[in-house]
Amino acid sequence: EADIYQTPRYLVIGTGKKITLECSQTMGHDKMYWYQQDPGMELHLIHYSYGVNSTEKGDLSSESTVSRIRTEHFPLTLESARPSHTSQYLCASSDRVGYNEQFFGPGTRLTVL
Amino acid sequence: SQKIEQNSEALNIQEGKTATLTCNYTNYSPAYLQWYRQDPGRGPVFLLLIRENEKEKRKERLKVTFDTTLKQSLFHITASQPADSATYLCARASGGYQKVTFGTGTKLQVIP
């Protein structure tokens, strides 16, 4: 079954640690996205990619970085986590054709102590 | 900049009634509007989209309208059920390699 996966679902980590949030999709979508969402707040686009070796920064400035070496994989990395990075991170993908319907993963809830 | 505005107040409605949620946008009309459902702690799930040249779109108990004069989309859930309780997000998009912009969402609570 085609799907989009995120790991870990929950992560509690200390300040200064390096973390990587994983996102994989089995739908063969060219376009992938990372959103950040605080509880009860709107989704903010922080990174997107339109294909392998393509990455762009989104509307909300973020200290995280992303890579897209394989079509199905779009990991997000924080080199040095801080409490201000505490949030929900949602990965999504959409097809190259169509109307950009976003397929979301279950999200990673990150808490930085 | 383009903005999507949704009523941030929660909407409480009695089971069996029709719930109507509003989405307003600023500046130019998007090529289409999308509606998503988001449950607590989960990622949004795509429900429907409506193109700017369509007045109305239906899917089962859902109906979406698009009024380019009012710069507004209405999302209706008929015969609402407690299981419909969630936050509903409106999003604007322009197709191709354009980004999707989400509204803040409206929380719907259907009371049995």
Side-chain angles (χ1 to χ4, degrees):
Chain A
E1 183 182 319
D3 212 336
I4 181 163
Y5 305 93
Q6 288 186 247
T7 56
R9 290 293 315 279
Y10 303 92
L11 180 62
V12 181
I13 202 160
T15 296
K17 299 290 186 186
K18 177 180 177 178
I19 59 167
T20 296
L21 307 184
E22 301 288 348
C23 176
S24 293
Q25 50 97 4
T26 58
M27 294 173 280
H29 287 166
D30 286 331
K31 294 185 267 189
M32 295 189 75
Y33 314 82
W34 276 103
Y35 292 88
Q36 186 174 338
Q37 184 180 36
D38 292 321
M41 304 298 285
E42 64 194 282
L43 287 160
H44 290 286
L45 180 68
I46 52 175
H47 297 283
Y48 60 100
S49 166
Y50 288 150
V52 171
N53 294 326
S54 146
T55 60
E56 301 286 344
K57 289 194 179 294
D59 303 319
L60 181 69
S61 175
S62 173
E63 292 164 350
S64 58
T65 59
V66 292
S67 63
R68 189 90 183 274
I69 298 170
R70 303 197 316 265
T71 299
E72 63 272 18
H73 195 215
F74 191 41
L76 180 145
T77 298
L78 272 167
E79 289 293 331
S80 180
R82 294 209 299 269
S84 61
H85 296 138
T86 295
S87 190
Q88 167 112 340
Y89 292 84
L90 289 156
C91 181
S93 70
S94 66
D95 202 351
R96 177 167 47 88
V97 296
Y99 297 97
N100 274 333
E101 299 97 315
Q102 311 267 292
F103 292 85
F104 284 85
T108 294
R109 167 70 63 190
L110 173 66
T111 302
V112 183
L113 303 173
Chain B
S1 65
Q2 314 307 318
K3 285 198 74 173
I4 288 283
E5 293 169 350
Q6 294 184 257
N7 191 348
S8 58
E9 300 269 338
L11 178 65
N12 295 320
I13 195 162
Q14 206 69 37
E15 182 177 4
K17 302 288 187 188
T18 296
T20 298
L21 284 67
T22 305
C23 173
N24 296 297
Y25 58 89
T26 59
N27 298 332
Y28 63 82
S29 286
Y32 47 91
L33 287 166
Q34 304 173 346
W35 284 88
Y36 294 77
R37 169 185 172 138
Q38 186 174 24
D39 291 291
R42 312 286 296 182
V45 174
F46 173 79
L47 296 174
L48 274 175
L49 77 83
I50 184 165
R51 290 185 284 270
E52 62 179 334
N53 60 353
E54 295 177 315
K55 286 276 194 291
E56 182 180 297
K57 197 80 167 281
R58 289 175 186 262
K59 180 182 175 183
E60 297 172 353
R61 293 185 296 112
L62 308 179
K63 184 177 86 170
V64 175
T65 62
F66 195 167
D67 188 326
T68 53
T69 303
L70 294 177
K71 295 192 174 184
Q72 183 179 81
S73 175
L74 297 178
F75 177 81
H76 306 272
I77 305 175
T78 58
S80 58
Q81 304 165 1
D84 295 327
S85 299
T87 296
Y88 291 86
L89 306 174
C90 174
R92 68 181 296 157
S94 302
Y97 291 96
Q98 301 298 314
K99 292 172 283 184
V100 174
T101 303
F102 286 86
T104 52
T106 298
K107 186 173 180 179
L108 172 68
Q109 185 77 32
V110 180
I111 302 160

